[in-house]
Amino acid sequence: MKAIARTIHEYHEALSDIDRAICDRLKTEIDQSLPKAESKVWHGSPVWFLEGNPIVGYHRLKKDVRLLFWSGQSFEEPGLKPEGTFKAAEIRFAAPEEIHLARLHRWLAESKSVQWDYKNLVKRRGILKRLGE
């Protein structure tokens, strides 16, 4: 059984070369675009938070790496697919070359201003409220 990664570095170390290249690129771009975000391994995956609210994260799947924006269904920039029953949206990458940096930067910019309050989801008994409204 694999040990659970406690840090993003440990998470990356456990990946194949190609998956590590994808995740390294994503981490670099996320860190640069969200300098005030806290990052950590949360529920087994690297996730970035603004004021305790999850914003973006990624996870290795069987065939690719999923980049998930918790509020992505509300973004204006196209290219993300809805994921789950709330407001999250994703895109998947099988190679680092598939990452379109300009589009990624636009999603990351939107992730700062377009946020649903996941931090208080349990307190609100499963009801999401958009922050800033």
Side-chain angles (χ1 to χ4, degrees):
M1 183 176 189
K2 280 187 180 178
I4 297 174
R6 291 182 304 230
T7 67
I8 294 174
H9 176 75
E10 289 173 349
Y11 183 90
H12 285 212
E13 287 297 310
L15 298 171
S16 68
D17 289 344
I18 192 155
D19 293 335
R20 187 176 313 117
I22 294 167
C23 292
D24 284 347
R25 176 168 284 173
L26 291 173
K27 180 183 182 312
T28 296
E29 300 303 325
I30 294 168
D31 284 343
Q32 288 175 356
S33 295
L34 301 173
K36 294 181 180 180
E38 172 195 2
S39 60
K40 63 183 176 181
V41 173
W42 187 55
H43 297 287
S45 302
V47 177
W48 282 255
F49 298 81
L50 289 174
E51 297 179 13
N53 200 40
I55 302 300
V56 63
Y58 50 81
H59 185 75
R60 169 69 179 123
L61 299 172
K62 200 171 199 175
K63 295 181 181 180
D64 46 30
V65 173
R66 172 179 48 205
L67 177 65
L68 182 78
F69 288 92
W70 267 254
S71 300
Q73 288 184 34
S74 299
F75 292 177
E76 290 185 21
E77 179 66 28
L80 297 172
K81 294 181 180 176
E83 167 60 28
T85 57
F86 293 107
K87 301 293 182 184
E90 69 170 26
I91 187 167
R92 297 181 183 199
F93 305 106
E97 307 81 50
E98 294 178 357
I99 301 170
H100 187 277
L101 290 179
R103 182 172 272 181
L104 176 60
H105 290 162
R106 289 190 292 270
W107 288 322
L108 289 166
E110 282 192 86
S111 75
K112 293 182 228 178
S113 60
V114 178
Q115 291 183 44
W116 289 85
D117 187 7
Y118 285 93
K119 178 173 75 173
N120 294 304
L121 185 63
V122 173
K123 186 165 89 175
R124 287 199 175 100
R125 298 188 173 162
I127 297 174
L128 270 179
K129 181 180 177 186
R130 188 159 173 175
L131 293 175
E133 290 186 341

